[in-house]
Amino acid sequence: METKVLPINEESIALAARLLREGELVALPTETVYGIAADARNGEAVKKIFLAKGRPQDNPLIVHICGMEMLHGIVAEVPERAKKLAAAYWPGPLTMVLPKGPEVSPVTCAGLDTVGVRMPSHPVVQQVIRASGVAFAAPSANLSGKPSPTNAPDTLADMDGRLPLILDGGECAVGVESTVVSLVGEHPTLLRPGYITLEQLEAALGEPVEVSHAILEKLREGEVARSPGMKYKHYAPKAAVTILKGDFAAYRAFLQDHAQPGTWALCFDGEGAQLPVPAIEYGAENDGASQAHRLFTALRELDKHGAQVVYARCPRSDGVSMAVYNRLIRAAAFRVVTL
Ligand code: TXA
Ligand code: MG
């Protein structure tokens, strides 16, 4: 299959809308990362997403909408908590897990009785949904296990020949996937951290939000994941990544002792030139948003350079940095060394 990459204009949006209505796949930018869209009601269309990504069939997809009226049929009910969060953070990088409605294909939800829904703020998503009338399921546009792509060339690198169209809307602003919060249990629970922080969710809800422990630690042996995506290897570049916890002086000293050919540093802005190994910088030390924006591109750059061993500076684990830490420990297969 030939994969077209088109700039955003009336014709490319119309083509994307037609492909979606016909049950085909379209890759497109959102404010978080690039996604692969298919009609969430059409099980045969959604199956193509799992094939294109090599994604395990038991990992459910998020349904994307562009207005509250579209929730009808997609979710079975809109609880008060969902109304509060939608008023505060939609459109935006927040996914809510709610009781599934009858119109969503079971393939989209991997057979669960819940559905993840989000209303993205990216204008291309909104235009495509309006032009097609299709609420679409869309996972990140990477091959399963790789870092999510945040621009069209990285999307093409993973999806060339696997789908007919990539809409090129430039770089994604946020850079990590949406925050996922479950509203189906007794208490709201954070399943995946993102740009909308735990503190922001609690402020809008006016109550505490539980944090699924799988966010910052490995799932225990035999444990059932509340969010199936948590159990899979994720975001991994080809190199063996280790996170080093400690200050910059200790980090530099460690690298002086461990510099080998093929060893790279993944460090904060302004630090690379002071290190004894080549380095990629992934944002400012105390600025989670800038780290989120850079992290996945930085991981992909390490692959392009042929890095074999990577030592990463450790981000904080609060605010937006919780999302960065959550992705980086998975990229590092949970290898964290305290200096
Ligand atoms: O920012 C995003 O959310 C991007 C863009 C494209 O919108 N999409 C994305 O989708 O990150 P994906 O498939 O890569 O991640 C979806 C995550 C997975 O961890 C999945 O397990 C979880 O959301 N999820 C989806 N539906 C769920 C459900 N019903 N219950 C629990 N977790 C769910
Ligand atoms: Mg993903």
Side-chain angles (χ1 to χ4, degrees):
M1 177 187 304
E2 191 209 344
T3 301
K4 276 192 196 142
V5 182
L6 297 178
I8 307 302
N9 53 41
E10 242 173 75
E11 286 98 89
S12 64
I13 297 281
L15 175 60
R18 181 165 64 76
L19 287 168
L20 284 179
R21 280 196 304 265
E22 289 171 355
E24 290 300 330
L25 305 184
V26 174
L28 80 184
T30 81
E31 71 276 27
T32 57
V33 300
Y34 273 67
I36 305 172
D39 186 342
R41 292 165 304 186
N42 181 341
E44 290 310 308
V46 174
K47 278 183 191 158
K48 294 179 188 171
I49 296 181
F50 287 89
L51 271 179
K53 281 182 61 91
R55 180 176 175 112
Q57 297 267 352
D58 65 347
N59 193 2
L61 306 176
I62 294 168
V63 178
H64 296 61
I65 58 171
C66 72
M68 290 300 279
E69 70 291 346
M70 287 183 89
L71 284 175
H72 187 78
I74 289 175
V75 303
E77 58 166 316
V78 184
E80 277 313 306
R81 286 171 173 145
K83 287 180 193 156
K84 284 187 189 168
L85 289 181
Y89 301 118
W90 275 3
L94 175 67
T95 296
M96 299 186 220
V97 173
L98 295 169
K100 179 187 170 303
E103 282 177 25
V104 181
S105 164
V107 182
T108 298
C109 301
L112 298 175
D113 57 5
T114 57
V115 60
V117 229
R118 93 173 184 100
M119 190 192 294
S121 60
H122 199 290
V124 169
V125 176
Q126 298 189 358
Q127 286 167 42
V128 168
I129 297 176
R130 276 203 201 94
S132 61
V134 168
F136 60 73
S140 49
N142 49 290
L143 289 172
S144 211
K146 296 238 275 164
S148 303
T150 56
N151 55 52
D154 285 347
T155 303
L156 182 66
D158 279 17
M159 287 299 136
D160 198 9
R162 293 171 178 261
L163 45 77
L165 175 62
I166 298 172
L167 292 178
D168 183 352
E171 228 189 283
C172 301
V174 173
V176 293
E177 307 86 347
S178 60
T179 305
V180 180
V181 64
S182 169
L183 299 179
V184 291
E186 194 187 336
H187 301 291
T189 306
L190 181 64
L191 299 182
R192 180 174 74 180
Y195 189 77
I196 303 296
T197 63
L198 177 66
E199 297 79 6
Q200 286 176 307
L201 295 175
E202 292 183 331
L205 288 167
E207 64 181 318
V209 171
E210 282 179 12
V211 178
S212 172
H213 76 87
I215 284 180
L216 300 174
E217 307 160 29
K218 214 171 174 165
L219 278 180
R220 297 179 195 112
E221 194 78 32
E223 185 177 1
V224 176
R226 294 264 320 253
S227 180
M230 291 198 280
K231 68 179 187 239
Y232 294 109
K233 186 174 166 208
H234 255 77
Y235 316 115
K238 292 188 192 113
V241 180
T242 302
I243 300 173
L244 301 181
K245 230 176 191 164
D247 63 14
F248 180 64
Y251 178 76
R252 187 172 52 191
F254 180 96
L255 287 179
Q256 267 149 359
D257 290 344
H258 293 80
Q260 298 272 344
T263 300
W264 282 68
L266 180 61
C267 59
F268 298 129
D269 292 352
E271 295 177 347
Q274 304 172 58
L275 296 171
V277 297
I280 303 270
E281 296 176 340
Y282 79 102
E285 177 161 11
N286 284 313
D287 180 359
S290 78
Q291 295 159 15
H293 180 72
R294 280 280 303 144
L295 179 68
F296 288 149
T297 332
L299 291 174
R300 282 178 180 261
E301 279 167 16
L302 289 165
D303 270 355
K304 288 173 200 159
H305 288 294
Q308 281 154 26
V309 173
V310 172
Y311 292 109
R313 285 273 269 142
C314 188
R316 301 163 59 112
S317 53
D318 58 351
V320 181
S321 292
M322 187 193 274
V324 177
Y325 187 76
N326 167 268
R327 306 316 189 267
L328 194 54
I329 43 166
R330 282 165 174 76
F334 296 91
R335 277 187 298 270
V336 183
V337 172
T338 304
L339 298 174

